[in-house]
Amino acid sequence: MDHQHAAAPLARLIDELHRLPGVGPKTAQRLAYHLVRAPKEEVQSLAEALSAMKEQVFFCSQCHNLTDVEPCAICGDGQRDRSTVCVVEQALDILALERTRRYKGLYHVLHGAISPMNGVGPGDLTIAALEGRLRTGAVKELILATNPNLEGEATATYIQRQVRGLPVAVTRLARGLPSGADLEYADEVTLARAIEGRQVMS
Amino acid sequence: MWPCRSFAPPSAPAPYNGPVLLRRLSLENFRNIASLDLPFAPGRTVLHGRNAQGKTNLLEAVHLLAAAKSIRAEHERDLIAWNVLAGEIPYTRIRGDFDRGGTPLRLEVFLQLEPDGDASQDGEPRLAKRLRVNGAPRRAADFVGEMQAVLFEPQDIELVYGSPSSRRRHLDMTLSQADRPLLHDLQRYQRILTQRNHLLKSLREGRASPAELPTWDDILIESGAAIIAARAAALASLDASAARLHAQLTAGTERLRLLYAPSFPVPEGGAAHIAVAFRQALAATAARERLFGATIAGPHRDDFAFQLGGVSLAAFGSRGQHRLATVALKLAEAEYMTQRTGTQPTLLLDDILSELDADRRGFLLERVADSPQALITTADLPSLQGTLLRDAAVLEIVAGAVR
């Protein structure tokens, strides 16, 4: 984008911000001009937060979650069920699953999903490390919790094919109706999936 | 981890088998129509006027409300009136108010060139399309077919001898109106195909591992087999109806056939059998796929052909035979929609009557008389006098406005 009328340091900041996901050229300009007018302490605090994050946060050697301790808080928690591993695309997905307080097992973060279109292949994800974890024999169930979109499904299918032959049960998160919703408002696809995935009432 | 949807949940279509009648059509900046707000009655409406006055655009707008995309515009931005394209925020709005057995139904299509200057990859301004049902945003897959329409137009004959892709596009747009799960499958298949083709190109260039391919094969086959099964069933139904209608239309003895021409031999017995054949076809084309970096077998290469008396109409038919075959196809499409959904579609006849002789015109008008609502354009109103259209509402269109 052309910032020939912006002062050079400002133009540089706009370019840096524009590289962030979800930030278009207009938003980048707006943020940059906001920071110009912000108090010096505020801007310094932001800069410190950025560099502290980069210096102190790294990937857990076991689950590849973001952490500032090794192993991460979840892998290091002796209370958690070490025979179950839940595979997610992003570290953020762990936060969502943890909020349920239902899951007591471990995680494995892929850091993405297979997408040939975007040049992301299995080698760009942490699938080899996952296979290594499974080969220790400690894991009895692998829960594939990739997103229910095409790339997430392809990733789940790929992993399922890769771990065939290993003594681990592979499960996939159920897909269907969101709770609190009315049946009559569900779209055909979701409803069809819910019918396919119906369960015996015990 | 539910798919994040910023859309209001679509209301489930309650079982309703009556007609969906257009009561009012409002257009803004649609092709040559700056602004128009027009009431419609059930039954037949004749729109007449000289050529290039906007009659066709009106029918195209109604069809857009049924199919969510234009039947012909390769670039949908062409739907936005050219004189507002240079304006502040170029947009067009198409709004139809319908009567669905006493319940009002409002369908809106809104197209806007994004003002932000964020260009898409090809450097063109991005075109945003927003679809609404009763004011609530919808995805195309939850919008198409709220009302159904079949458009007859002079260039229909190109279906007979045109490209396979134009026939596929036509078939998909028609079937989707009556079969939303098919539309969903088609959209999904397209995304899978794009991903798989990228992978094939990466394999060719040594940037990916062959171990990635089986995953995409599985997903492609599952999705493609469902599409092929749906198309095979629909074409069998269209073939039977079109043959009967064509025989009535021509009083001829030569049977019209609409023959499905899939990219590999498709067995009987439903999606599971088709999936097996699809897998074999992928194996048989694997070497060429690597060479071209593209998927060769599959429903994206499907076609259908017109035959008359066992002979290809594309190769040997006359213009008149092409016309009658496509009129039979369109009437068969209307029957298909009615059979599948219970609702008779709105018939849109764009300057088609002048293409037919008196007998054939009479037959088509009888069909029109049986339909709950039909919009008919003509540049030659006197020629319709004395036909079934004498009790139709008549509107004159001049320079994009109704007189």
Side-chain angles (χ1 to χ4, degrees):
Chain A
M1 155 146 234
D2 184 17
H3 330 292
Q4 53 176 332
H5 301 299
L10 192 53
R12 183 181 156 205
L13 178 61
I14 293 172
D15 284 336
E16 293 290 337
L17 291 168
H18 186 23
R19 290 221 297 268
L20 300 175
V23 178
K26 290 276 160 71
T27 306
Q29 283 178 3
R30 210 171 298 138
L31 290 172
Y33 279 92
H34 168 82
L35 291 170
V36 166
R37 287 192 301 267
K40 189 166 188 180
E41 310 79 68
E42 209 174 282
V43 177
Q44 231 143 28
S45 167
L46 176 64
E48 276 160 27
L50 283 172
S51 63
M53 177 272 291
K54 206 58 205 171
E55 274 161 27
Q56 293 161 23
V57 174
F58 53 93
F59 297 128
C60 170
S61 67
Q62 292 173 29
C63 72
H64 296 266
N65 189 13
L66 297 170
T67 179
D68 57 352
V69 290
E70 170 64 30
C72 74
I74 293 173
C75 289
D77 182 348
Q79 305 285 72
R80 304 208 52 133
D81 171 11
R82 314 196 82 79
S83 70
T84 311
V85 167
C86 180
V87 178
V88 295
E89 289 180 21
Q90 304 295 347
L92 272 174
D93 299 333
I94 292 183
L95 300 185
L97 286 162
E98 283 299 290
R99 275 197 301 271
T100 67
R101 295 165 189 269
R102 279 299 172 83
Y103 182 66
K104 300 293 179 208
L106 303 179
Y107 291 97
H108 191 87
V109 185
L110 296 171
H111 293 289
I114 294 174
S115 173
M117 219 169 93
N118 298 325
V120 182
D124 301 308
L125 309 176
T126 61
I127 293 176
L130 173 66
E131 286 173 50
R133 287 180 82 182
L134 298 182
R135 274 200 207 91
T136 65
V139 180
K140 301 297 174 219
E141 182 182 358
L142 189 66
I143 304 173
L144 298 177
T146 51
N147 287 325
N149 55 27
L150 179 60
E151 289 73 23
E153 282 170 43
T155 307
T157 310
Y158 180 84
I159 293 173
Q160 185 199 8
R161 277 180 167 271
Q162 288 301 108
V163 305
R164 246 179 231 169
L166 293 175
V168 59
V170 180
T171 56
R172 183 96 172 89
L173 283 195
R175 290 181 299 181
L177 297 166
S179 53
D182 282 345
L183 210 58
E184 63 165 320
Y185 290 131
D187 66 272
E188 287 98 331
V189 176
T190 303
L191 207 47
R193 289 265 157 75
I195 292 170
E196 284 163 16
R198 68 190 185 276
Q199 291 178 353
V200 176
M201 290 179 74
S202 49
Chain B
M1 298 238 300
W2 301 105
C4 177
R5 295 254 314 261
S6 58
F7 301 94
S11 59
Y16 168 74
N17 292 340
V20 179
L21 299 166
L22 178 67
R23 299 317 303 265
R24 182 169 283 276
L25 181 68
S26 308
L27 304 176
E28 284 172 57
N29 304 330
F30 185 74
R31 292 200 186 266
N32 76 330
I33 302 170
S35 169
L36 175 138
D37 187 26
L38 196 59
F40 282 90
R44 283 145 299 285
T45 300
V46 173
L47 304 153
H48 77 102
R50 291 187 302 154
N51 290 327
Q53 300 299 306
K55 307 186 298 288
T56 296
N57 300 347
L58 240 136
L59 262 52
E60 186 184 16
V62 176
H63 191 265
L64 195 65
L65 293 173
K69 62 179 174 185
S70 169
I71 199 154
R72 77 174 62 83
E74 292 294 314
H75 300 287
E76 287 197 313
R77 55 176 295 169
D78 295 347
L79 297 175
I80 302 175
W82 63 270
N83 55 351
V84 300
L85 275 177
E88 196 72 0
I89 301 175
Y91 75 96
T92 179
R93 188 197 308 275
I94 301 101
R95 189 176 75 204
D97 285 301
F98 297 86
D99 175 3
R100 198 168 172 275
T103 310
L105 170 71
R106 171 172 283 189
L107 302 178
E108 284 168 288
V109 176
F110 183 77
L111 291 167
Q112 180 184 310
L113 283 182
E114 288 296 351
D116 205 351
D118 280 6
S120 59
Q121 284 169 348
D122 55 6
E124 294 278 298
R126 207 191 304 271
L127 184 70
K129 184 195 287 188
R130 297 197 179 87
L131 307 169
R132 287 173 185 273
V133 175
N134 293 330
R138 289 276 185 97
R139 298 178 301 185
D142 297 320
F143 179 93
V144 171
E146 283 292 326
M147 65 95 44
Q148 303 173 91
V150 175
L151 176 62
F152 298 69
E153 50 180 358
Q155 54 268 51
D156 284 343
I157 56 169
E158 291 168 16
L159 281 174
V160 177
Y161 53 78
S163 67
S165 66
S166 66
R167 275 186 292 277
R168 267 197 310 275
R169 178 178 154 88
H170 174 80
L171 192 66
D172 289 344
M173 281 180 79
T174 304
L175 303 186
S176 295
Q177 287 187 43
D179 188 352
R180 269 194 204 159
L182 173 63
L183 178 57
H184 178 269
D185 285 343
L186 287 167
Q187 292 177 338
R188 183 175 146 82
Y189 182 83
Q190 195 53 49
R191 291 200 301 272
I192 298 169
L193 190 66
T194 306
Q195 291 280 19
R196 191 173 183 276
N197 286 347
H198 269 91
L199 179 58
L200 288 169
K201 284 191 187 71
S202 299
L203 285 173
R204 190 176 57 181
E205 292 154 19
R207 287 187 284 110
S209 144
E212 295 178 48
L213 202 50
T215 298
W216 293 102
D217 289 356
D218 288 355
I219 301 175
L220 186 83
I221 288 166
E222 185 219 354
S223 171
I227 292 169
I228 292 170
R231 282 183 180 160
L235 271 165
S237 161
L238 289 173
D239 175 47
S241 296
R244 175 174 43 74
L245 291 158
H246 186 263
Q248 292 170 343
L249 197 55
T250 61
T253 51
E254 292 181 315
R255 189 185 192 274
L256 175 71
R257 302 278 336 244
L258 299 174
L259 296 172
Y260 187 28
S263 65
F264 58 85
V266 165
E268 304 270 322
H273 290 86
I274 294 168
V276 173
F278 195 176
R279 196 174 287 281
Q280 286 165 353
L282 285 181
T285 55
R288 281 194 295 148
E289 282 190 336
R290 292 293 189 86
L291 197 62
F292 295 121
T295 306
I296 289 166
H300 62 292
R301 292 289 182 91
D302 275 2
D303 195 1
F304 70 96
F306 294 76
Q307 274 188 9
L308 191 61
V311 176
S312 160
L313 259 184
F316 298 106
S318 70
R319 192 181 160 83
Q321 284 175 320
H322 293 168
R323 171 69 54 209
L324 294 171
T326 49
V327 169
L329 168 68
K330 296 284 171 142
L331 289 171
E333 288 171 4
E335 283 194 0
Y336 174 79
M337 290 181 189
T338 309
Q339 280 164 12
R340 199 176 159 91
T341 66
T343 295
Q344 287 180 269
T346 301
L347 300 184
L348 307 168
L349 274 59
D350 185 19
D351 207 12
I352 194 78
L353 297 169
S354 61
E355 303 277 340
L356 301 170
D357 64 32
D359 286 351
R360 277 76 189 258
R361 193 185 294 176
F363 179 81
L364 183 53
L365 287 175
E366 276 174 43
R367 291 283 154 165
V368 168
D370 287 342
S371 105
Q373 193 170 35
L375 275 51
I376 301 140
T377 70
T378 181
D380 182 16
L381 189 62
S383 74
L384 296 180
Q385 255 129 37
T387 70
L388 286 163
L389 290 177
R390 58 183 174 270
D391 55 353
V394 176
L395 303 167
E396 186 182 3
I397 311 284
V398 179
V402 176
R403 184 173 277 180

